[in-house]
Amino acid sequence: MYSRRRRGYFLLMGGCLLLFVSAWAFVRLWSVPAAIGMCFVAMVIPPVAAIVGNRRGPEDRWWDEPPPERSSADTRTDKHPGRNTGKRTEKHTDLPPSGDRTSDEWWDELDGKKRRR
C-alpha cells in the first residue's frame, strides 16, 4: 500500500513539474494565457499530491487496532505534584498563589471568589 501511495505522489509531482517547465519553456512561445493557465493547474497539484501520499487505503487497518496499553503513571491526574499548573478546580483550591497577582485574581474570579484590592 505504501508503494502505491508513493507512486501516486511522485506521478502527481512529476506532472506538476512537467506543467511548469513546459509552460514556460515552449508553450509561452505560442500562447502566454495558456502558459499561465498551465501554471494555475500546476499550482493546485502539490496539495492534492500530499493528500494522496498521506491517505489511508482500504487495506490499512487502523480502525480496529486496540488502543495502546496505559501504564499506571499515565492514569494519574496530577503528573507534576506540588506544581501549580494553572488549573484550579474545587479539589485544588488550597494551592498556593502562582506569584502573578493578575493571574491569581483572574482565577479567583473564575472560581467565584471576590478579592479586594
Side-chain angles (χ1 to χ4, degrees), residues 56-104:
R56 291 183 175 142
E59 291 88 23
D60 292 340
R61 301 191 64 155
W62 56 272
W63 62 89
D64 60 350
E65 292 176 357
E69 294 295 323
R70 297 180 73 185
S71 67
S72 61
D74 291 340
T75 58
R76 289 190 329 202
T77 56
D78 188 13
K79 294 199 184 285
H80 304 286
R83 182 174 158 197
N84 187 358
T85 60
K87 297 179 183 177
R88 288 194 178 185
T89 59
E90 290 300 315
K91 65 180 182 179
H92 294 294
T93 55
D94 58 334
L95 289 174
S98 67
D100 181 13
R101 185 174 147 214
T102 307
S103 177
D104 290 335

Side-chain angles (χ1 to χ4, degrees), residues 8-56:
Y9 175 80
F10 283 118
L11 283 174
L12 284 168
M13 290 305 288
C16 177
L17 285 174
L18 181 70
L19 281 171
F20 270 122
V21 170
S22 64
W24 296 112
F26 58 88
V27 173
R28 69 174 172 88
L29 300 174
W30 288 279
S31 174
V32 172
I36 292 172
M38 288 172 67
C39 285
F40 276 115
V41 170
M43 181 178 64
V44 175
I45 293 176
V48 173
I51 292 169
V52 167
N54 290 318
R55 72 176 175 183
R56 291 183 175 142

